[in-house]
Amino acid sequence: MTTPPADLVTVLRSAGCVFAEDEAALLTDAAPPGPERDALVARRVAGEPLEHVLGRVEFDGGTVLLGPGVFVPRQRSVLLVEVAAALDPDVVVDLCCGSGALGLAIARRCPGAAVHAADVDDEAVRWARLNLTPVGGHAHVGDLDAPLPATLRGRVDVLVANVPYVPSAAVADLPPEAREHEPLRALDGGGDGLDVLRLVAARAPRWLRPGGTLLSEVGDDQVEPALALLDDAGLAPAVHRDDERGALAVSGTSTAGGTAGVRRT
């Protein structure tokens, strides 16, 4: 990255940017001095997420394109990508896909995998198509699994669903960047934060092949109820942790003979 001008660092630090030096360098690389860069800086100072300002985010070693009003993928979600890729999937579905970051990262790690993504938000799917088309992926507009091609039923190896899991009462406590610039439906998971995961878990068995796996992020206090709802859906539940990233996920695997108990990894 280019060494940023000191005055730009000062402006960003005064605006409350914790990583002012890094952000200043990224903005310096994004546009030459002048009106264009000034406009980008003004947007950031006003509180817009840096990723929206730049139009991209680095995720799992690659670039994801995105824009204003679209959920910004969190770095902790790389855990989902790692677990999914370790399963060496041939067919991947990314529900509640947002920009398609998870499907894209899995496709990069698993060349040749067929990736289908879906989101109810037209703007998010527009970005998902930009990201997934170069790797042969497909993005569909619709609610949860509704727009998926029927030909995928019973054939999916990995269904990754980074569903909203913030309890409704806790949304007000989120950072302003999220509350004010990301879609509420990408954040609010209902009373206990698990409303959308319940829906996905109930529908997952129709798409998963025997041995296929559903993956989703959860919060620390949601692990036990999340495992229970996966079990209720007939999926063998497991827990996945990455303490270094502060990441926590649950999975449910389709089995011919019912659940196989809880594994913790």
Side-chain angles (χ1 to χ4, degrees):
M1 290 188 294
T2 304
T3 300
D7 59 342
L8 177 53
V9 175
T10 299
V11 167
L12 293 173
R13 185 176 291 119
S14 298
C17 299
V18 177
F19 303 104
E21 291 84 356
D22 292 340
E23 293 196 12
L26 289 168
L27 289 165
T28 298
D29 288 340
E36 183 180 358
R37 185 195 296 172
D38 291 345
L40 296 180
V41 172
R43 289 170 60 190
R44 181 62 183 131
V45 168
E48 191 171 345
L50 179 67
E51 297 83 357
H52 288 172
V53 173
L54 296 175
R56 67 183 188 277
V57 61
E58 296 305 308
F59 183 78
D60 193 39
T63 299
V64 178
L65 304 177
L66 77 171
V70 176
F71 181 81
V72 177
R74 288 17 175 191
Q75 296 304 318
R76 62 177 178 268
S77 298
V78 171
L79 173 62
L80 295 174
V81 176
E82 292 174 343
V83 175
L87 297 172
D88 194 23
D90 291 320
V91 180
V92 177
V93 166
D94 179 3
L95 291 188
C96 303
C97 70
S99 62
L102 295 180
L104 175 60
I106 296 168
R108 285 170 169 163
R109 285 180 177 239
C110 304
V115 177
H116 287 264
D119 199 290
V120 72
D121 188 296
D122 289 336
E123 182 65 7
V125 171
R126 184 175 75 83
W127 288 102
R129 285 174 177 154
L130 286 174
N131 287 311
L132 291 172
T133 298
V135 296
H138 307 274
H140 313 274
V141 179
D143 187 30
L144 297 180
D145 61 335
L148 295 177
T151 53
L152 294 178
R153 290 197 176 209
R155 296 181 50 235
V156 176
D157 297 297
V158 169
L159 194 166
V160 61
N162 198 10
V163 301
Y165 61 92
V166 179
S168 299
V171 171
D173 299 326
L174 291 173
E177 286 186 7
R179 290 197 323 268
E180 298 173 8
H181 296 279
E182 293 180 319
L184 178 61
R185 60 188 166 200
L187 304 169
D188 190 341
D192 64 353
L194 297 175
D195 283 1
V196 184
L197 182 57
R198 285 190 184 89
L199 294 173
V200 171
R203 301 177 189 189
R206 74 181 70 162
W207 300 101
L208 295 174
R209 66 163 179 79
T213 299
L214 164 65
L215 287 164
S216 192
E217 249 177 58
V218 294
D220 284 319
D221 59 350
Q222 296 170 325
V223 172
E224 294 306 321
L227 293 174
L229 71 86
L230 290 169
D231 187 69
D232 288 345
L235 302 172
V239 182
H240 310 269
R241 297 179 186 272
D242 182 338
D243 293 332
E244 185 175 338
R245 291 193 188 100
L248 178 60
V250 293
S251 64
T253 299
S254 175
T255 63
T259 58
V262 177
R263 296 182 293 109
R264 301 180 186 275
T265 63

